[in-house]
Amino acid sequence: MFYTVGEMAKKLGVAPSTLRYYDKEGLLPFVERSSTGIRVFKEADYEWLKVIECLKKTGMQLKDIKTFIEMAVQGDDTIDERLELIIKQKAVVEKQIADLSETLRTLEFKEWYYTTAKENGTTAVPRNMTLSELPKEYREICIKLRGE
């Protein structure tokens, strides 16, 4: 089965201009063209596009995604390089997750803080609590926020 740019874009949940841009940037060397020059996507191209989307979500630069695709097109001689690139990007994502987890803990603490303040009619109550008075799950984040 073949898809037009619009059909594939809809299937991916992106704008058709995104796919045209990817093609212009050399990310879609696998995409064929009809006899009239129109891009035609195959079912197999969907998997490539999902990989591009995944790598893009990790924050990988388009030039690096292009390099990855070029290596894949070259074949098995580039397995080591592709694996290295994936391992490196996985570490980037793990760091992003750790950073976001820290951000979530801070927001959870602040939610507790302001809920407590609202219940007491003042921020003085949670602000003046000693560490031992705080819920256990918020002590560590409170120490970081206070710079202790």
PDB file of all heavy atoms in Angstrom, residues 19 24 34-35 37 53 60 70 73 75 78 80 82-83 106 113 121 126:
ATOM      1  N   LEU A  19       6.886  16.447   6.906  1.00  0.00           N
ATOM      2  CA  LEU A  19       7.471  15.401   6.057  1.00  0.00           C
ATOM      3  C   LEU A  19       8.221  16.015   4.873  1.00  0.00           C
ATOM      4  O   LEU A  19       9.282  15.521   4.489  1.00  0.00           O
ATOM      5  CB  LEU A  19       6.392  14.443   5.572  1.00  0.00           C
ATOM      6  CG  LEU A  19       5.677  13.654   6.682  1.00  0.00           C
ATOM      7  CD1 LEU A  19       4.659  12.698   6.083  1.00  0.00           C
ATOM      8  CD2 LEU A  19       6.672  12.906   7.550  1.00  0.00           C
ATOM      9  N   LYS A  24      13.445  17.455   2.455  1.00  0.00           N
ATOM     10  CA  LYS A  24      14.354  18.521   2.019  1.00  0.00           C
ATOM     11  C   LYS A  24      15.688  18.447   2.762  1.00  0.00           C
ATOM     12  O   LYS A  24      16.752  18.710   2.197  1.00  0.00           O
ATOM     13  CB  LYS A  24      13.693  19.881   2.256  1.00  0.00           C
ATOM     14  CG  LYS A  24      14.519  21.066   1.846  1.00  0.00           C
ATOM     15  CD  LYS A  24      13.772  22.373   2.130  1.00  0.00           C
ATOM     16  CE  LYS A  24      14.739  23.520   2.156  1.00  0.00           C
ATOM     17  NZ  LYS A  24      14.672  24.337   3.318  1.00  0.00           N
ATOM     18  N   SER A  34       6.729   9.046  -7.416  1.00  0.00           N
ATOM     19  CA  SER A  34       5.958   8.532  -8.555  1.00  0.00           C
ATOM     20  C   SER A  34       6.579   9.046  -9.855  1.00  0.00           C
ATOM     21  O   SER A  34       7.488   9.883  -9.820  1.00  0.00           O
ATOM     22  CB  SER A  34       4.497   8.989  -8.451  1.00  0.00           C
ATOM     23  OG  SER A  34       4.413  10.382  -8.691  1.00  0.00           O
ATOM     24  N   SER A  35       6.061   8.587 -10.952  1.00  0.00           N
ATOM     25  CA  SER A  35       6.577   9.030 -12.253  1.00  0.00           C
ATOM     26  C   SER A  35       6.383  10.533 -12.461  1.00  0.00           C
ATOM     27  O   SER A  35       7.097  11.157 -13.240  1.00  0.00           O
ATOM     28  CB  SER A  35       5.907   8.249 -13.382  1.00  0.00           C
ATOM     29  OG  SER A  35       4.499   8.436 -13.317  1.00  0.00           O
ATOM     30  N   GLY A  37       6.802  12.645  -9.954  1.00  0.00           N
ATOM     31  CA  GLY A  37       7.633  13.316  -8.960  1.00  0.00           C
ATOM     32  C   GLY A  37       7.004  13.491  -7.589  1.00  0.00           C
ATOM     33  O   GLY A  37       7.579  14.127  -6.715  1.00  0.00           O
ATOM     34  N   GLU A  53      10.952  10.349  14.486  1.00  0.00           N
ATOM     35  CA  GLU A  53      10.153  11.035  15.505  1.00  0.00           C
ATOM     36  C   GLU A  53      10.691  10.740  16.901  1.00  0.00           C
ATOM     37  O   GLU A  53      10.816  11.640  17.740  1.00  0.00           O
ATOM     38  CB  GLU A  53       8.703  10.569  15.379  1.00  0.00           C
ATOM     39  CG  GLU A  53       7.737  11.223  16.328  1.00  0.00           C
ATOM     40  CD  GLU A  53       6.338  10.666  16.128  1.00  0.00           C
ATOM     41  OE1 GLU A  53       5.761  10.881  15.050  1.00  0.00           O
ATOM     42  OE2 GLU A  53       5.825  10.013  17.059  1.00  0.00           O
ATOM     43  N   MET A  60      17.647  14.972  19.813  1.00  0.00           N
ATOM     44  CA  MET A  60      18.730  14.795  18.852  1.00  0.00           C
ATOM     45  C   MET A  60      18.575  15.799  17.710  1.00  0.00           C
ATOM     46  O   MET A  60      17.475  16.037  17.232  1.00  0.00           O
ATOM     47  CB  MET A  60      18.729  13.364  18.302  1.00  0.00           C
ATOM     48  CG  MET A  60      19.895  13.077  17.370  1.00  0.00           C
ATOM     49  SD  MET A  60      19.876  11.403  16.671  1.00  0.00           S
ATOM     50  CE  MET A  60      20.460  10.468  18.061  1.00  0.00           C
ATOM     51  N   GLU A  70      21.767   7.773   7.301  1.00  0.00           N
ATOM     52  CA  GLU A  70      22.779   7.473   6.288  1.00  0.00           C
ATOM     53  C   GLU A  70      23.555   6.212   6.655  1.00  0.00           C
ATOM     54  O   GLU A  70      23.845   5.374   5.794  1.00  0.00           O
ATOM     55  CB  GLU A  70      23.729   8.656   6.112  1.00  0.00           C
ATOM     56  CG  GLU A  70      23.098   9.840   5.417  1.00  0.00           C
ATOM     57  CD  GLU A  70      23.945  11.108   5.461  1.00  0.00           C
ATOM     58  OE1 GLU A  70      24.942  11.151   6.230  1.00  0.00           O
ATOM     59  OE2 GLU A  70      23.596  12.061   4.740  1.00  0.00           O
ATOM     60  N   VAL A  73      21.368   3.190   6.000  1.00  0.00           N
ATOM     61  CA  VAL A  73      21.282   2.907   4.570  1.00  0.00           C
ATOM     62  C   VAL A  73      22.561   2.198   4.089  1.00  0.00           C
ATOM     63  O   VAL A  73      22.507   1.333   3.219  1.00  0.00           O
ATOM     64  CB  VAL A  73      21.011   4.208   3.775  1.00  0.00           C
ATOM     65  CG1 VAL A  73      21.185   3.995   2.280  1.00  0.00           C
ATOM     66  CG2 VAL A  73      19.602   4.720   4.077  1.00  0.00           C
ATOM     67  N   GLY A  75      24.240   0.033   5.689  1.00  0.00           N
ATOM     68  CA  GLY A  75      24.147  -1.388   6.012  1.00  0.00           C
ATOM     69  C   GLY A  75      24.900  -1.796   7.259  1.00  0.00           C
ATOM     70  O   GLY A  75      25.255  -0.978   8.099  1.00  0.00           O
ATOM     71  N   THR A  78      27.919  -0.404   9.613  1.00  0.00           N
ATOM     72  CA  THR A  78      27.793   0.735  10.536  1.00  0.00           C
ATOM     73  C   THR A  78      27.040   0.372  11.817  1.00  0.00           C
ATOM     74  O   THR A  78      26.646   1.262  12.570  1.00  0.00           O
ATOM     75  CB  THR A  78      27.063   1.901   9.845  1.00  0.00           C
ATOM     76  OG1 THR A  78      25.731   1.481   9.512  1.00  0.00           O
ATOM     77  CG2 THR A  78      27.801   2.365   8.600  1.00  0.00           C
ATOM     78  N   ASP A  80      28.075  -0.843  14.660  1.00  0.00           N
ATOM     79  CA  ASP A  80      28.753  -0.347  15.868  1.00  0.00           C
ATOM     80  C   ASP A  80      28.515   1.146  16.076  1.00  0.00           C
ATOM     81  O   ASP A  80      28.236   1.589  17.193  1.00  0.00           O
ATOM     82  CB  ASP A  80      30.256  -0.618  15.809  1.00  0.00           C
ATOM     83  CG  ASP A  80      30.601  -2.102  15.944  1.00  0.00           C
ATOM     84  OD1 ASP A  80      29.764  -2.866  16.443  1.00  0.00           O
ATOM     85  OD2 ASP A  80      31.719  -2.479  15.535  1.00  0.00           O
ATOM     86  N   ARG A  82      26.040   2.965  14.877  1.00  0.00           N
ATOM     87  CA  ARG A  82      24.628   3.218  15.198  1.00  0.00           C
ATOM     88  C   ARG A  82      24.325   2.841  16.637  1.00  0.00           C
ATOM     89  O   ARG A  82      23.621   3.571  17.349  1.00  0.00           O
ATOM     90  CB  ARG A  82      23.710   2.460  14.236  1.00  0.00           C
ATOM     91  CG  ARG A  82      23.670   3.094  12.862  1.00  0.00           C
ATOM     92  CD  ARG A  82      22.727   2.381  11.948  1.00  0.00           C
ATOM     93  NE  ARG A  82      23.408   1.224  11.352  1.00  0.00           N
ATOM     94  CZ  ARG A  82      22.798   0.189  10.807  1.00  0.00           C
ATOM     95  NH1 ARG A  82      21.487   0.121  10.776  1.00  0.00           N
ATOM     96  NH2 ARG A  82      23.491  -0.794  10.270  1.00  0.00           N
ATOM     97  N   LEU A  83      24.868   1.718  17.087  1.00  0.00           N
ATOM     98  CA  LEU A  83      24.669   1.303  18.474  1.00  0.00           C
ATOM     99  C   LEU A  83      25.239   2.344  19.427  1.00  0.00           C
ATOM    100  O   LEU A  83      24.602   2.725  20.415  1.00  0.00           O
ATOM    101  CB  LEU A  83      25.312  -0.063  18.725  1.00  0.00           C
ATOM    102  CG  LEU A  83      25.267  -0.580  20.166  1.00  0.00           C
ATOM    103  CD1 LEU A  83      23.812  -0.712  20.645  1.00  0.00           C
ATOM    104  CD2 LEU A  83      25.996  -1.906  20.279  1.00  0.00           C
ATOM    105  N   THR A 106       9.681  18.530  43.177  1.00  0.00           N
ATOM    106  CA  THR A 106       9.584  19.922  43.632  1.00  0.00           C
ATOM    107  C   THR A 106       8.148  20.414  43.525  1.00  0.00           C
ATOM    108  O   THR A 106       7.627  21.052  44.452  1.00  0.00           O
ATOM    109  CB  THR A 106      10.531  20.827  42.826  1.00  0.00           C
ATOM    110  OG1 THR A 106      11.874  20.362  42.989  1.00  0.00           O
ATOM    111  CG2 THR A 106      10.433  22.274  43.276  1.00  0.00           C
ATOM    112  N   TYR A 113       2.897  22.253  50.076  1.00  0.00           N
ATOM    113  CA  TYR A 113       3.194  23.504  50.772  1.00  0.00           C
ATOM    114  C   TYR A 113       2.003  24.463  50.692  1.00  0.00           C
ATOM    115  O   TYR A 113       1.534  24.979  51.712  1.00  0.00           O
ATOM    116  CB  TYR A 113       4.444  24.122  50.140  1.00  0.00           C
ATOM    117  CG  TYR A 113       4.918  25.410  50.766  1.00  0.00           C
ATOM    118  CD1 TYR A 113       5.904  25.404  51.735  1.00  0.00           C
ATOM    119  CD2 TYR A 113       4.400  26.644  50.355  1.00  0.00           C
ATOM    120  CE1 TYR A 113       6.368  26.590  52.289  1.00  0.00           C
ATOM    121  CE2 TYR A 113       4.857  27.830  50.907  1.00  0.00           C
ATOM    122  CZ  TYR A 113       5.840  27.795  51.877  1.00  0.00           C
ATOM    123  OH  TYR A 113       6.289  28.966  52.435  1.00  0.00           O
ATOM    124  N   GLY A 121      -4.423  29.315  56.227  1.00  0.00           N
ATOM    125  CA  GLY A 121      -4.605  30.733  55.941  1.00  0.00           C
ATOM    126  C   GLY A 121      -3.333  31.541  55.879  1.00  0.00           C
ATOM    127  O   GLY A 121      -3.385  32.775  55.847  1.00  0.00           O
ATOM    128  N   PRO A 126       3.678  26.313  56.808  1.00  0.00           N
ATOM    129  CA  PRO A 126       4.631  25.361  56.216  1.00  0.00           C
ATOM    130  C   PRO A 126       6.061  25.905  56.163  1.00  0.00           C
ATOM    131  O   PRO A 126       7.018  25.145  56.311  1.00  0.00           O
ATOM    132  CB  PRO A 126       4.082  25.118  54.810  1.00  0.00           C
ATOM    133  CG  PRO A 126       3.237  26.300  54.499  1.00  0.00           C
ATOM    134  CD  PRO A 126       2.682  26.754  55.820  1.00  0.00           C
TER     135      PRO A 126
END
